[in-house]
Amino acid sequence: MTEQSSATDTTTVTARPGAGIGLGALGVLAFSMSLPATRVAVHTLDPWFVAFGRAVGAALLAAAYLRLTRAPRPTPGQWRRLAVVALGVVVGFPLFTSLALTTQTSAHGAVVVTVLPAMTAVFAVLRAGERPPPLFWLASAAGLALVLAFLATGGSMRGTLSLADLFLLAAVVLCGLGYAEGGVLARQLGGARTICWALLLSLPVTIPVTAVAAAAHPPRDGAAGWTAFGYLTLVSMFLGFFAWYAGLARGGIAKVGQIQLVQPVLTLLWSALLLGEAITPATVAVAGAVLACVVLIQRTRGAVRPRDYTPPHPEQAVQR
């Protein structure tokens, strides 16, 4: 970074209803193929390599982007927020989905991801200091109960959650946290710089893990696996977040978050078309029921007003 670019940009992105819908839709379209691509990649590549290697590859692209745009460095407070973003979307979601999809289908994973909009809304409420009505929590609990019931009855351990199911649930929780935190931070940094700085911040973790995974299980040849890995690196971990975080910043986390409702449906379609996975009536029914709960969650949240809350302002510190 140059001396002139080291001052943190204090321009904020204001929330404008409707302005981020198109960007959010592009992000959801990009993410909808993440589970099928991960399923393909882990057939020939170690899941730890898939999870962390794509973050390393995306971080190289991020470094080039930040240098070309002469992006200012984040402030200490923004670095702390970026650490949360990195935990959720750079490390948590890729790792736990990669581990889960070594034994589970992407169609099964899509049902669990159906509750992701609810998780995003919950963390957005917590980050915005809002006081949701009881109906919000009832709908959220109902959606989670449906997913847990589906996993318990359909899991490989007969009536109990499998380890893969627990991995998927952990992925959804961490991803919702990373989405909400990143959406707030993108109003200060912009969507592209938010994910780019988070990727760079993760390098002390992602590089060693990638190296150890590659040494322990050398990556094998296979056009399908490497193509899927390339998609996860370029689109799921990099370009998709440019649109997604920009959409959250411009249109509001609650409003744009509703677009996630179509993501599990798209994932089910990709799973059937690209992987030939069977979509059972039970899977469709559970996904539909959870979607109904999430719609109710989003609608109740939209009526909530923050109480005693002041939006965060960019910090004025200058780093040299």
Side-chain angles (χ1 to χ4, degrees):
M1 301 301 168
T2 64
E3 184 74 12
Q4 289 84 355
S5 68
S6 61
T8 301
D9 187 358
T10 58
T11 302
T12 54
V13 177
T14 57
R16 299 189 300 271
I21 296 298
L23 289 168
L26 284 175
V28 167
L29 180 61
F31 298 150
S32 67
M33 281 191 63
S34 295
L35 292 183
T38 301
R39 177 69 171 167
V40 172
V42 298
H43 272 309
T44 56
L45 301 173
D46 181 79
W48 289 82
F49 177 84
V50 172
F52 289 89
R54 60 173 155 176
V56 173
L60 297 177
L61 298 173
Y65 174 86
L66 292 170
R67 187 170 186 83
L68 287 173
T69 59
R70 307 183 78 172
R73 294 187 180 92
T75 66
Q78 290 168 343
W79 280 120
R80 288 191 291 270
R81 288 180 177 273
L82 285 166
V84 177
V85 174
L87 172 65
V89 303
V90 178
V91 175
F93 187 81
L95 173 60
F96 286 117
T97 53
S98 295
L99 293 174
L101 294 179
T102 58
T103 57
Q104 274 293 2
T105 66
S106 64
H108 184 95
V111 175
V112 184
V113 173
T114 308
V115 83
L116 179 56
M119 285 291 115
T120 304
V122 167
F123 283 115
V125 166
L126 295 175
R127 291 297 304 143
E130 297 183 353
R131 301 294 183 267
L135 183 59
F136 176 95
W137 300 114
L138 288 174
S140 180
L144 181 59
L146 283 168
V147 171
L148 290 175
F150 171 80
L151 295 176
T153 57
S156 58
M157 297 177 66
R158 294 187 179 182
T160 60
L161 294 177
S162 68
L163 184 59
D165 295 331
L166 294 177
F167 284 153
L168 287 169
L169 289 174
V172 167
V173 172
L174 289 173
C175 190
L177 173 62
Y179 279 177
E181 191 74 16
V184 174
L185 187 56
R187 293 177 181 171
Q188 301 174 14
L189 297 179
R193 283 185 289 165
T194 295
I195 188 59
C196 285
W197 285 118
L199 286 164
L200 291 184
L201 181 62
S202 304
L203 282 176
V205 173
T206 56
I207 288 179
V209 175
T210 301
V212 170
H217 302 282
R220 291 180 288 170
D221 293 333
W226 283 109
T227 299
F229 181 83
Y231 181 90
L232 293 169
T233 300
L234 178 61
V235 181
S236 297
M237 186 57 73
F238 189 60
L239 294 179
F241 280 103
F242 278 42
W244 180 242
Y245 277 150
L248 292 177
R250 286 166 172 77
I253 297 172
K255 185 175 181 63
V256 177
Q258 294 180 14
I259 306 174
Q260 294 179 97
L261 299 176
V262 304
Q263 183 172 328
V265 178
L266 291 174
T267 298
L268 289 174
L269 291 176
W270 292 128
S271 299
L273 291 174
L274 301 178
L275 304 179
E277 294 181 356
I279 309 300
T280 65
T283 300
V284 175
V286 171
V290 175
L291 284 176
C293 294
V294 175
V295 169
L296 182 58
I297 289 171
Q298 295 288 357
R299 288 182 176 178
T300 55
R301 189 196 182 284
V304 175
R305 294 291 181 267
R307 185 178 303 169
D308 300 327
Y309 172 70
T310 302
H313 294 286
E315 300 185 34
Q316 305 297 322
V318 175
Q319 295 182 355
R320 296 297 181 186

